[in-house]
């Protein structure tokens, strides 16, 4: 993995994720150069400096975007707003759950993302998915194919610390749209807006989230309800297979990072084994899952695993994992594959350092992994359409 900050895995992961989601090397260098010394103090200490530096970059891009917008150059403005959203979203992700600026920063992320849509992506719109008396916020990107007939849809879920804005920045919706597939990127409980502005926390039983998403999609006349798939990255590699095991209307499922036993990973992290995805880690996970007490959280997390679950997946199942993933052991990818005996089409794809995509969810070469998944999804939906 490219290491802008030698020895600081968490900060480097943010840089690489941003570069591989449309960031430019000049802009990222501009933001990171002033905080090189701060990065040497460890993953937690300098996150306020990180936010300040990346906010300065965001401000610069927003000023450029506003000038372009005023001049009627909406594509240029949209691209600037898109990158500004990406940078600010990554900086927000690095803050502690209790950081005083975190909520205002995320609200600005939402506003900038909408500006990007308004200027340069008319096919993406904000949606609200009814869920347990409130809603799950999402972005729906309508594929051009849906102008002519109902199109298949992929639902994309986040992980422990990402948001729907990260999913959008990764360009998943653009690649799927080019293959005739619409996309619904959702902030599920424990992530993004659902956590920050709705107070919805994560849970073991993720099938309820899937049911809400499928119920919503079935109300849309531009959706082929027989071809709705689900992908989850990082901790979503637990969320999505769990959901597909029990929500039988899903037509396929992708684990973008095989999080087969996330509870066991937490016990290893207590022993300082393996890398962690975000600074202020234990505060973050308790926020996501709604626990004040660490011991109570760890006991609950023991139930976050797929043993006895993936056997119940009865649809096509793709498992993607990086051979050199420093957060989630590659052995979990093999375990999910070995146990998914009732999937009619199960595939395990391990990405190597030689080709790229070997780090966690392929963040070192995200487009390579993203496009492999998009091709597999398109091929599988085609097969399912032929079968119908």
């Amino acid at each position: 993995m490219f290491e802008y900050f030698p020895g600081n895995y968490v900060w480097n992961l943010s840089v690489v994720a941003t570069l591989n989601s449309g960031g430019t090397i000049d802009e990222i260098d501009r933001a990171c150069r002033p905080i090189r010394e701060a990065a040497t103090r460890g993953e937690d200490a300098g996150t306020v400096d990180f936010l300040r530096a990346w906010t300065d970059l965001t401000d610069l891009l927003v000023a450029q975007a506003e000038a372009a917008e005023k001049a009627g150059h909406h594509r240029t403005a949209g691209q600037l707003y898109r990158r500004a959203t990406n940078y600010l979203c990554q900086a927000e992700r690095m803050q502690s759950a209790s950081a005083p600026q975190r909520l205002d920063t995320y609200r600005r992320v939402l506003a900038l993302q909408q500006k990007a849509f308004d200027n340069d992506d008319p096919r993406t719109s904000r949606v609200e998915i009814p869920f347990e008396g409130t809603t799950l916020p999402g972005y729906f990107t309508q594929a051009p194919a849906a102008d002519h007939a109902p199109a298949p849809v992929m639902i994309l879920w986040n992980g422990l610390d990402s948001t729907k804005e990260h999913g959008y920045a990764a360009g998943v919706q653009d690649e799927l749209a080019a293959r005739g597939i619409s996309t619904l990127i959702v902030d599920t409980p424990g992530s993004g807006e659902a956590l920050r502005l709705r107070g919805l926390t994560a849970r073991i039983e993720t099938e309820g989230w899937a049911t809400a998403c499928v119920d919503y999609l079935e109300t849309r006349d531009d959706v082929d309800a027989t071809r709705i798939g689900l992908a989850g990255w990082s901790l979503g590699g637990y969320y999505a297979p769990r959901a597909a095991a029990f929500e039988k209307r899903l037509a396929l499922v992708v684990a973008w990072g095989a999080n087969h036993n996330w509870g066991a990973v937490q016990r290893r992290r207590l022993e300082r084994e393996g890398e962690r995805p975000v600074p202020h880690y234990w505060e973050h996970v308790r926020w996501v899952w709604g626990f004040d007490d660490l011991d109570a959280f760890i006991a609950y997390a023991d139930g976050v695993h797929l043993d006895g679950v993936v056997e119940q997946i009865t649809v096509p199942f793709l498992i993607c994992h990086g051979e050199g993933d420093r957060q989630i052991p590659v052995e979990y990818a093999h375990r999910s594959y070995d146990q998914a005996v009732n999937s009619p089409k199960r595939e395990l794809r391990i990405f190597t350092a030689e080709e790229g995509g070997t780090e966690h969810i392929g963040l070192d070469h995200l487009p390579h992994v993203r496009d492999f998944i998009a091709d597999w999804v398109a091929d599988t939906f085609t097969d399912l359409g032929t079968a119908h």
Side-chain angles (χ1 to χ4, degrees):
M1 183 169 74
F2 169 63
E3 296 196 358
Y4 192 98
F5 303 109
N8 191 328
Y9 171 84
V10 175
W11 286 36
N12 289 328
L13 202 66
S14 289
V15 170
V16 168
T18 312
L19 276 170
N20 278 314
S21 299
T24 71
I25 196 162
D26 170 73
E27 289 167 348
I28 290 172
D29 179 53
R30 192 174 308 188
C32 290
R33 196 172 285 262
I35 56 174
R36 278 178 167 162
E37 191 280 325
T40 66
R41 302 198 299 268
E43 64 192 47
D44 293 357
T47 51
V48 173
D49 300 310
F50 194 105
L51 178 62
R52 186 182 305 114
W54 286 50
T55 298
D56 288 345
L57 174 61
T58 300
D59 292 343
L60 175 67
L61 266 66
V62 168
Q64 294 171 351
E66 288 172 345
E69 199 173 7
K70 190 173 181 181
H73 302 149
H74 292 289
R75 177 163 172 77
T76 298
Q79 290 175 330
L80 285 160
Y81 281 127
R82 189 166 174 164
R83 292 206 306 280
T85 305
N86 186 15
Y87 298 145
L88 193 61
C89 194
Q90 199 62 241
E92 188 269 350
R93 189 188 75 88
M94 295 280 282
Q95 305 309 300
S96 72
S98 57
Q101 293 172 284
R102 183 156 196 171
L103 206 53
D104 286 343
T105 300
Y106 186 67
R107 286 194 171 102
R108 189 183 185 199
V109 166
L110 294 175
L112 292 176
Q113 185 71 85
Q114 189 59 51
K115 284 276 198 179
F117 298 157
D118 293 344
N119 277 277
D120 192 41
D121 188 2
R123 302 201 74 93
T124 297
S125 56
R126 181 186 171 86
V127 298
E128 301 283 350
I129 300 156
F131 176 75
E132 296 184 359
T134 180
T135 56
L136 301 177
Y139 298 137
F140 186 86
T141 300
Q142 186 190 59
D147 293 344
H148 311 292
V153 179
M154 275 302 289
I155 305 163
L156 177 64
W157 285 354
N158 304 310
L160 178 72
D161 50 89
S162 55
T163 67
K164 62 189 183 302
E165 291 75 34
H166 290 121
Y168 180 84
V172 181
Q173 70 289 337
D174 296 331
E175 292 306 318
L176 289 171
R179 292 162 174 79
I181 301 161
S182 297
T183 304
L184 176 64
I185 310 177
V186 183
D187 278 338
T188 57
S191 76
E193 199 176 342
L195 175 65
R196 288 156 179 76
L197 302 182
R198 313 288 165 88
L200 297 172
T201 53
R203 63 178 69 158
I204 288 171
E205 304 85 5
T206 62
E207 55 270 23
W209 314 344
T211 295
C213 292
V214 176
D215 285 348
Y216 164 75
L217 289 170
E218 286 185 340
T219 69
R220 298 184 61 114
D221 58 13
D222 57 353
V223 168
D224 176 356
T226 68
R227 291 188 290 171
I228 296 172
L230 172 62
W233 67 16
S234 195
L235 183 50
Y238 163 79
Y239 292 155
R242 163 81 199 202
F246 300 108
E247 175 44 81
K248 295 299 185 181
R249 290 175 294 173
L250 291 168
L252 60 82
V253 62
V254 179
W256 190 336
N259 235 314
H260 190 94
N261 193 334
W262 191 75
V265 170
Q266 303 322 294
R267 291 198 174 271
R268 280 201 294 276
R269 286 176 178 164
L270 282 175
E271 302 300 322
R272 298 295 302 177
E273 294 178 18
E275 295 287 359
R276 303 185 296 192
V278 284
H280 317 287
Y281 182 75
W282 295 111
E283 182 184 0
H284 184 87
V285 291
R286 286 187 287 110
W287 178 44
V288 166
W289 292 87
F291 283 86
D292 295 326
D293 180 74
L294 181 59
D295 290 339
F297 160 72
I298 291 293
Y300 182 83
D302 284 338
V304 184
H305 65 80
L306 294 171
D307 290 329
V309 174
V310 286
E311 291 91 333
Q312 301 182 64
I313 293 174
T314 53
V315 294
F317 182 24
L318 172 65
I319 302 151
C320 291
H321 206 86
E323 186 177 60
D325 190 328
R326 288 182 258 178
Q327 293 183 42
I328 307 298
V330 69
E331 69 191 63
Y332 285 164
H334 294 280
R335 192 178 303 180
S336 284
Y337 178 82
D338 290 344
Q339 292 181 10
V341 292
N342 293 309
S343 167
K345 176 188 176 182
R346 57 177 169 157
E347 184 167 344
L348 174 61
R349 177 67 162 88
I350 305 296
F351 291 84
T352 66
E354 289 71 27
E355 64 178 311
T358 192
E359 292 281 355
H360 184 61
I361 68 168
L363 282 172
D364 55 308
H365 193 350
L366 194 61
H368 182 48
V369 181
R370 176 199 66 198
D371 295 351
F372 177 87
I373 290 170
D375 286 338
W376 184 90
V377 167
D379 289 348
T380 305
F381 273 144
T382 297
D383 293 343
L384 291 170
T386 302
H388 287 126

